[in-house]
Structures are given as C-alpha cells and as structure tokens.
Amino acid sequence: CSAFVNSTGFIKQIKIKNSSSFEKSISYKEYINQVEELVNNNKTSGENQSIELSEYTKLNLRRMNRLNKTNVLNEEIHSVLKECKTPMVWLVLTEAWCGDAAQNIPYINLLADNSENIELGFLYRDENLELMDAFLTNGGRSIPKLIALNKETNELIGSWGPRPQEAQERMKVLSQTPELKKEEIITEIQLWYARDKNQSIQKEFLDLLKSWC
C-alpha cells in the first residue's frame, strides 16, 4: 500500500530512538483489537474515513483472523529463530485499510512469537511520518514496513516491506499498465497472495534472519 511524497531519495541519517518509538507502539493483540473496534464503528485508521477504506478494513480483519489460524513456520525458520541470539526490536508501520499489511503482518507476528529475542511493536504510518519517510520505497510511503533495530545499541539492523519481492515486481508491472484500474491491480495482488500461500515471505525472512542474527 503506497502514498507518494516529494522526495529526492531516502533520508540518509535518522536517529531512531528505540525506547521512544517502542513506547509509542502497540502489540499485535492491541492492533487487532483496535481494528475490530474500527470495523464495529464502520471506520478505519487515519484521517481518510472513506467508505472504500472502511470496507477494505473489514476485509483485512477477516484476512488477519484467517491467517492467524492457518500460518505455520517451517522447520528451518524454527531452527534459525532458536539459534538467534541478537536481541531485536521490530517496529512495523501499518494502517488498518492496507491489504498488504493484512497479508503479511500475521506472519511477522508469528515469527516474533516464536523467538525470545524479538520484541514486536506496531505504529500507524500516518502518525509517524518522520520515521516512515526514512524508509520510503521508490519514493512512496509503502506499508507494511518492518524496521529491525538492535535492542541494546538502537542501531538499525535492516528493514523489510512492503511486500515480498515477487509481489513487488508484479505490482510495478501492473502499475505501469494504463488500462488497469486501481481496483483491478489490488485484486491481482491479492490473488498473488492466495497463490503464493506465504512461501515467498518465508523464504525472504529465512534469508533475513540468517543475516540479522
């Protein structure tokens, strides 16, 4: 999910204060609870309270609830998580209306739940634009965006998002196809997720964890 800003590139330096950012963040359970409350009130997160975005939010809640029940980690990732000794804070920028967030953050949460060394927190993108603008994707405020920090030093370890690379490449092609409407592009990406069944994100995080740990 993207929004574009006037930018000549990434902010080269930003002081990320682990404690203050994490203190502002909410847990996955709190995030789900907040999304449920938004759905019950026919609302979404952020200032844009359009009917379209509120409907996306309802759909995303169903997606997350389904993936919370069906997501599994493969044995190799279990092993890497068990061996990982680097204490990390993972901050995830998201919004309730974002379909890519709904598809990916349940798996990110599952990773954190299976590690003693990963603390996970969620931040709403539009309430944290300074942080978001340090991690643009091709000039866009694309989410979800995971920012991994060393818990002890506050140093940036790495980042991931807004979607697996294969889906990102597919999105680029679709976005450059003039005859496609926004709704058609969104549908095509969601169909990609259905076909992929989390295989791509598993492979990518396996590589990342081997590097980050």
Side-chain angles (χ1 to χ4, degrees):
C1 302
S2 303
F4 289 90
V5 296
N6 293 325
S7 174
T8 57
F10 293 106
I11 296 176
K12 296 185 181 300
Q13 293 184 339
I14 184 169
K15 186 176 182 181
I16 302 174
K17 295 183 178 179
N18 181 346
S19 58
S20 61
S21 294
F22 196 71
E23 284 171 5
K24 289 171 56 181
S25 71
I26 58 177
S27 69
Y28 184 61
K29 183 178 180 180
E30 289 171 323
Y31 178 69
I32 291 291
N33 288 342
Q34 289 185 12
V35 175
E36 288 178 345
E37 184 175 355
L38 289 169
V39 167
N40 290 337
N41 290 285
N42 293 313
K43 293 183 178 181
T44 189
S45 59
E47 294 184 2
N48 186 346
Q49 293 294 316
S50 68
I51 295 176
E52 180 184 32
L53 292 187
S54 66
E55 289 300 314
Y56 285 154
T57 302
K58 293 177 184 177
L59 180 58
N60 288 338
L61 179 60
R62 292 197 294 271
R63 285 178 178 140
M64 289 188 291
N65 285 334
R66 183 185 74 249
L67 292 170
N68 289 337
K69 297 176 182 178
T70 60
N71 276 347
V72 293
L73 302 181
N74 63 40
E75 288 303 317
E76 191 171 5
I77 289 182
H78 267 298
S79 178
V80 171
L81 287 170
K82 185 177 180 179
E83 295 172 1
C84 182
K85 304 303 180 185
T86 304
M88 291 183 281
V89 169
W90 286 6
L91 295 172
V92 179
L93 292 160
T94 185
E95 291 288 348
W97 45 261
C98 178
D100 289 295
Q103 293 283 4
N104 292 303
I105 62 177
Y107 184 80
I108 292 171
N109 177 67
L110 186 61
L111 289 170
D113 272 353
N114 282 270
S115 173
E116 296 179 352
N117 290 302
I118 299 173
E119 293 189 38
L120 179 64
F122 293 85
L123 296 165
Y124 289 105
R125 181 193 70 179
D126 293 351
E127 297 174 6
N128 297 274
L129 292 181
E130 181 181 5
L131 182 59
M132 179 74 259
D133 287 348
F135 294 92
L136 301 178
T137 301
N138 299 322
R141 290 171 173 161
S142 301
I143 51 175
K145 178 67 74 169
L146 183 153
I147 302 159
L149 306 171
N150 185 298
K151 184 180 178 180
E152 296 177 346
T153 66
N154 292 347
E155 292 180 353
L156 177 67
I157 296 175
S159 64
W160 180 91
R163 55 183 70 87
Q165 186 60 37
E166 184 178 323
Q168 183 71 3
E169 292 172 359
R170 181 62 177 154
M171 172 64 82
K172 182 179 179 180
V173 172
L174 293 171
S175 299
Q176 294 174 348
T177 306
E179 61 270 23
L180 287 179
K181 298 178 180 179
K182 176 184 175 182
E183 191 64 39
E184 292 174 312
I185 293 174
I186 292 173
T187 298
E188 179 58 33
I189 293 299
Q190 293 303 319
L191 288 173
W192 179 91
Y193 280 114
R195 293 190 298 268
D196 184 72
K197 299 183 185 301
N198 271 346
Q199 294 306 301
S200 293
I201 192 172
Q202 288 209 69
K203 292 176 183 177
E204 291 186 14
F205 268 93
L206 180 60
D207 290 339
L208 286 174
L209 286 167
K210 288 178 178 178
S211 173
W212 293 353
C213 293

